[in-house]
């Protein structure tokens, strides 16, 4: 049986217009490929999202290695701004072009190709290979990997370790493995006063000064200075809105949104409590009604260095010729959900073009990524296995 070509599979996936939350034919393309290799596949539908769970081997196997990734993509924007049609999967200049080429249809194609060839050529004894592929990573992430994990819990399915195929390398293929992520939360603060004429401010209660003063205090507060695993936590103001189109009217209401990326010195709960305390103090001092709402999209986590991280690092070094750095930098990924299920790390391509116009990937890097994933599988089910 010929080896599965991950670059060709990536191109075919790019031609599936799977903009969140639409499946776009991507999972429909992958399922028969996996079933022909002996994987048992289950489509998991929740809300408007389609997901795919695939397992080779018995769910009672002693070791159950998992890969996780997503086939949904962000919108391409104006197609006329692209060199090639964003859903054409065009090959030019040694690169594969299209929406999702980098983030992360190439990663999915690489681990599908690696898994298919591995179980076909060297099927592990008392082992299972599990693929969890979601269509909701770029969206609200409510009905994607979380839906798969919920279904797995109900069905008695589990992974012993998992590798997420997100792009992890800033500039050089192989330079970085993500072994953790900062937490993320978004807070909205609404200030309510009394509308009035700007020439008679004493007849109004302007909510803006109180809100701005609170935001300035929050933005200048040092959350922490980082630690051995994480950079300092950050708080960014992302918008302040009044909906006021008149220059001579004091608005009755103003709204601000901020985002916090936090390390393991905090939790979503502790930060929400801090924000609530600051908001209540500002309301008491100003006499303006201030209301906080907060949503935590993920807690921080670290997979401690050990046999599992070393296994992945050795595979990366062998195929890329680079000793990878263990990092917790960047945004969030679905690893934030998997970390409650089993130990998880992330390794994938160079991510410079993700979400951009003319998104692309080096074709040679796709093949290298498949080789890394193959080495991981060989090592995991071989003699030097992580505990």
């Amino acid at each position: 049986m010929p080896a599965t070509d991950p670059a060709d599979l990536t191109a075919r996936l790019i031609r599936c217009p799977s903009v969140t939350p639409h499946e776009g034919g991507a999972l429909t393309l992958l399922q028969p490929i996996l079933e022909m290799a002996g994987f048992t596949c289950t489509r998991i539908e929740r809300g408007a999202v389609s997901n795919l769970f695939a397992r080779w081997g018995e769910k009672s196997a002693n070791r159950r290695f998992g890969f996780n990734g997503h086939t949904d993509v962000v919108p391409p924007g104006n197609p006329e701004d692209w060199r090639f049609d964003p859903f054409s999967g065009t090959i030019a200049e040694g690169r594969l072009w299209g929406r999702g080429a980098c983030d992360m249809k190439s990663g999915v194609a690489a681990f599908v190709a690696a898994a298919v060839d591995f179980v076909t050529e060297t099927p592990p004894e008392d082992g299972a290979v599990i693929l969890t592929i979601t269509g909701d990573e770029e969206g609200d992430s409510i009905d994607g990997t979380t839906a798969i994990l919920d279904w797995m819990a109900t069905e008695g399915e589990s992974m012993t370790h998992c590798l997420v195929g997100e792009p992890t390398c800033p500039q050089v293929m192989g330079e970085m493995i993500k072994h953790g992520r900062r937490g993320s939360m978004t807070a909205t603060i609404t200030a309510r006063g009394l509308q009035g004429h700007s020439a008679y401010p004493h007849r109004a209660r302007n909510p803006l000064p109180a809100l701005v003063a609170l935001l300035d205090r929050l933005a200048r507060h040092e959350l922490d200075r980082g630690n051995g695993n994480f950079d300092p936590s950050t708080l960014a103001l992302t918008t302040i809105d009044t909906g006021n189109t008149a220059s001579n009217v004091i608005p009755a209401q103003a709204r601000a949104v901020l985002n916090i990326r936090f390390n393991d010195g905090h939790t979503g709960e502790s930060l929400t409590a801090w924000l609530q305390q600051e908001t209540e103090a500002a309301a008491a001092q100003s006499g303006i009604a201030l209301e906080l709402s907060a949503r935590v999209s993920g807690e921080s986590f670290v997979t401690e260095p050990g046999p599992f991280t070393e296994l992945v690092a050795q595979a990366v070094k062998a195929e890329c010729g680079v000793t990878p750095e263990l990092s917790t930098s960047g945004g969030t990924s679905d690893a934030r959900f998997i970390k409650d299920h089993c130990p998880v790390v992330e390794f994938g391509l160079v991510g410079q073009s993700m979400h951009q116009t003319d998104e692309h990937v080096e074709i040679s890097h796709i093949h290298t990524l498949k080789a890394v994933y193959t080495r991981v599988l060989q090592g995991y089910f071989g003699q030097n296995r992580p505990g």
Side-chain angles (χ1 to χ4, degrees), residues 19-244:
V19 176
T20 305
H22 302 294
E23 186 268 338
L27 301 181
T28 302
L29 169 65
L30 294 173
Q31 184 166 341
I33 295 172
L34 292 165
E35 288 176 338
M36 286 181 62
F39 282 81
T40 299
C41 294
T42 303
R43 287 284 285 271
I44 300 167
E45 314 281 343
R46 194 164 84 179
V49 177
S50 293
N51 307 286
L52 180 64
F53 173 90
R55 171 175 44 80
W56 183 96
E58 300 298 325
K59 67 179 179 181
S60 59
N62 183 46
R63 305 179 68 77
R64 304 169 302 282
F65 188 84
F67 287 101
N68 172 268
H70 64 92
T71 53
D72 63 314
V73 298
V74 297
N78 186 355
E80 295 182 0
D81 293 336
W82 288 66
R83 290 182 59 188
F84 308 102
D85 185 299
F87 296 111
S88 65
T90 297
I91 296 174
E93 303 169 358
R95 300 171 178 175
L96 181 56
W97 304 76
R99 178 56 84 224
C102 177
D103 185 17
M104 59 162 286
K105 290 184 173 180
S106 50
V108 171
F111 69 61
V112 167
V116 165
D117 290 357
F118 177 71
V119 301
T120 301
E121 297 166 4
T122 55
E125 295 182 7
D126 193 24
V129 178
I130 293 172
L131 310 184
T132 56
I133 305 172
T134 175
D136 188 35
E137 197 276 343
E138 300 290 7
D140 293 333
S141 299
I142 297 173
D143 297 319
T145 293
T146 54
I148 298 174
L149 293 171
D150 288 346
W151 177 89
M152 289 174 64
T154 300
E155 297 297 321
E157 299 277 2
S158 63
M159 300 176 285
T160 47
H161 293 83
C162 185
L163 198 163
V164 178
E166 287 279 1
T168 59
C169 301
Q171 294 181 313
V172 177
M173 183 64 184
E175 66 181 319
M176 186 173 289
I177 294 169
K178 298 292 177 72
H179 72 125
R181 292 282 189 167
R182 294 183 297 175
S184 176
M185 66 177 293
T186 298
T188 301
I189 302 173
T190 303
R192 293 184 173 86
L194 179 65
Q195 182 175 306
H197 198 299
S198 61
Y200 307 96
H202 58 285
R203 298 177 181 173
R205 287 204 314 276
N206 193 336
L208 285 171
L211 179 61
V212 171
L214 172 60
L215 296 177
D216 179 61
R217 184 161 60 252
L218 296 176
R220 290 192 294 122
H221 178 77
E222 182 181 77
L223 290 167
D224 57 68
R225 297 187 177 182
N227 55 43
N229 286 320
F230 287 97
D231 292 334
S233 301
T234 61
L235 184 153
L237 305 177
T238 58
T239 187
I240 303 174
D241 302 297
T242 66
N244 187 7

Side-chain angles (χ1 to χ4, degrees), residues 245-270:
T245 59
S247 62
N248 62 346
V249 175
I250 293 172
Q253 179 174 301
R255 169 181 168 274
V257 179
L258 57 91
N259 182 262
I260 302 177
R261 301 300 172 108
F262 57 94
N263 60 36
D264 56 358
H266 311 272
T267 65
E269 182 179 6
S270 70

Side-chain angles (χ1 to χ4, degrees), residues 316-379:
V316 171
K317 184 176 182 180
E319 295 297 337
C320 301
V322 176
T323 299
E325 171 192 357
L326 292 180
S327 173
T328 60
S329 61
T332 59
S333 74
D334 279 0
R336 69 188 189 271
F337 307 122
I338 299 168
K339 55 94 174 174
D340 294 324
H341 178 89
C342 69
V344 58
V345 299
E346 303 171 56
F347 178 73
L349 297 171
V350 175
Q352 287 184 315
S353 71
M354 58 183 175
H355 292 203
Q356 295 183 0
T357 300
D358 292 331
E359 183 178 354
H360 61 272
V361 60
E362 300 282 344
I363 292 177
S364 62
H365 288 179
I366 306 176
H367 289 282
T368 299
L369 188 59
K370 177 191 174 183
V372 170
Y373 292 158
T374 299
R375 275 190 181 267
V376 170
L377 287 169
Q378 292 169 340

